[in-house]
């Protein structure tokens, strides 16, 4: 179903350009669940911690999230900010993510690392996470600058930023063993292909 989610906790605060994005097309189809389905104990642990946080508005305030509480998983965490439909910036990037990519993405725009033909859809999906809000988990291919291709399991969960800042998204990433090699490139490409996508209902429904 296209359009703005009827149950969104942020509908009254949604900027006009975000509203236009949400009304421009549907989020990607996927499975519906109430918890992560991919076999990742680390992602399940982060999800359970996220669930334990106070949620007066339906999702935790970013200030309630304590990196120390998930210290073993911190190297694989990211925090994104939905600044604009054309800019989803990395506020925090874990050391393992930086090492794996051989680049520090802090401050970088996530959409710059998504295939051009899927950037609009990626932005639409990310804003669904932040503005419905809901959780998202997927297994997707990543092409590294070295030419290495491997699957990555990603979990995204919404966080409410201090007013009037836009929503944030907590990310948890798990890389699998390389599957193949391609040509070298100038930078990494996220979401080069999706094998599985899951929308997680945290109380506001999910797409579909």
């Amino acid at each position: 179903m296209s359009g703005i989610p009827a149950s969104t906790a942020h509908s009254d605060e949604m900027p006009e350009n975000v509203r236009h994005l949400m009304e421009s097309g549907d989020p990607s189809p996927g499975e519906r669940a109430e918890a992560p389905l991919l076999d990742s104990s680390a992602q399940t642990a982060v999800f359970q911690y996220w669930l334990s946080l106070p949620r007066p508005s339906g999702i935790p305030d970013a200030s309630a999230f304590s990196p120390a509480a998930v210290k073993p998983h911190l190297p694989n965490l990211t925090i994104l900010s939905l600044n604009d439909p054309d800019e989803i910036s990395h506020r925090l990037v874990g050391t393992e993510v930086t090492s794996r990519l051989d680049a520090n993405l802090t401050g970088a725009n996530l959409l710059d690392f998504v295939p051009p033909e899927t950037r609009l859809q990626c932005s639409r999906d990310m804003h669904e996470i932040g503005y419905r809000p809901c959780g998202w988990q997927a297994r997707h291919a990543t092409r590294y600058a070295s030419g290495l291709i491997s699957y990555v399991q990603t979990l995204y969960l919404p966080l409410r930023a201090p007013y009037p800042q836009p929503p944030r998204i907590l990310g948890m990433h798990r890389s699998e063993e390389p599957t193949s090699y391609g040509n070298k490139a100038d930078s990494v490409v996220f979401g080069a292909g999706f094998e599985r996508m899951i929308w997680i209902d945290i109380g506001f429904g999910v797409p579909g």
Side-chain angles (χ1 to χ4, degrees):
M1 181 172 62
S2 63
I4 300 169
S7 58
T8 179
H10 296 279
S11 59
D12 293 338
E13 306 164 19
M14 189 179 295
E16 188 57 35
N17 58 350
V18 173
R19 187 178 298 276
H20 177 74
L21 172 69
M22 301 290 276
E23 292 176 341
S24 68
D26 298 335
S28 297
E31 301 172 58
R32 305 175 70 172
E34 295 183 354
L37 297 182
L38 297 178
D39 184 20
S40 172
S41 58
Q43 290 186 1
T44 297
V46 170
F47 178 72
Q48 292 299 326
Y49 167 68
W50 180 91
L51 278 180
S52 74
L53 297 175
R55 297 189 285 168
S57 66
I59 59 174
D61 288 342
S63 60
F65 172 74
S66 171
V70 289
K71 187 175 180 180
H73 312 301
L74 192 57
N76 290 297
L77 292 183
T78 57
I79 293 181
L80 300 163
S81 179
L82 298 175
N83 294 343
D84 183 89
D86 295 323
E87 183 186 351
I88 302 172
S89 65
H90 289 81
R91 291 180 60 92
L92 178 148
V93 182
T95 55
E96 179 63 26
V97 176
T98 297
S99 174
R100 196 162 54 243
L101 299 177
D102 195 24
N104 187 353
L105 296 185
T106 303
N109 184 358
L110 170 71
L111 299 176
D112 289 342
F113 301 92
V114 174
E117 63 273 16
T118 61
R119 282 176 190 161
L120 178 61
Q121 189 63 53
C122 175
S123 180
R124 177 64 181 84
D125 291 345
M126 296 297 286
H127 281 76
E128 187 79 13
I129 297 166
Y131 281 91
R132 178 179 286 270
C134 60
W136 182 92
Q137 191 182 36
R139 182 173 186 261
H140 55 94
T142 293
R143 294 201 307 263
Y144 297 93
S146 64
L148 177 74
I149 300 173
S150 69
Y151 275 96
V152 176
Q153 294 183 19
T154 294
L155 172 69
Y156 282 138
L157 298 167
L159 294 170
R160 187 179 180 91
Y163 181 83
Q165 297 178 27
R168 297 176 191 170
I169 294 176
L170 171 65
M172 173 77 190
H173 312 278
R174 174 193 170 194
S175 290
E176 300 179 9
E177 291 299 317
T179 57
S180 61
Y181 287 86
N183 296 327
K184 291 186 177 181
D186 293 332
S187 64
V188 66
V189 176
F190 301 135
F194 282 83
E195 182 185 86
R196 193 175 184 186
M197 188 178 294
I198 301 155
W199 293 102
I200 302 173
D201 190 346
I202 57 173
F204 299 93
V206 292

